[in-house]
Amino acid sequence: MSKVAPALCSSFKGVLPSDLLEKYTVKGGMLRLEYDLAVLNDIHDQVAQAQGDSKKDGASMEARRKQRRNQAQASISDDDAVELLKQGGFIA
């Protein structure tokens, strides 16, 4: 338990080791532990897949930065959102 607690606590934010002890030492706790570890592995795999080798590649990092900037610019402005709500009759 002491070997998996740090990984579980860091992945499931706000979970204390004492919470894990209470959760996994009751009847059915081993099944809960196995499920949580499976979810933890899925999270790890998704993070690793999303990062790939791009952490080592400056060009990939720059491309991601540009993509995030374009997505932020593509969002609707506050004024446009208010105007759409007025046109839809949601606000006066």
Side-chain angles (χ1 to χ4, degrees), residues 11-81:
S11 294
F12 303 117
K13 303 293 184 205
V15 177
L16 300 173
S18 59
D19 296 336
L20 297 175
L21 186 63
E22 290 176 8
K23 181 178 180 180
Y24 299 136
T25 55
V26 297
K27 184 177 180 179
M30 188 54 103
L31 293 174
R32 290 180 181 159
L33 176 62
E34 289 175 5
Y35 178 76
D36 287 348
L37 289 175
V39 170
L40 178 68
N41 285 331
D42 286 343
I43 291 171
H44 179 268
D45 292 345
Q46 289 176 7
V47 169
Q49 182 183 13
Q51 289 177 343
D53 293 331
S54 62
K55 290 254 181 187
K56 302 173 188 173
D57 184 8
S60 295
M61 188 171 67
E62 180 66 18
R64 284 194 321 277
R65 186 184 65 78
K66 286 181 180 178
Q67 182 182 17
R68 286 192 306 267
R69 185 186 320 144
N70 289 338
Q71 288 174 347
Q73 290 173 349
S75 66
I76 190 168
S77 71
D78 291 341
D79 294 335
D80 292 339

Side-chain angles (χ1 to χ4, degrees), residues 8 88-89:
L8 287 169

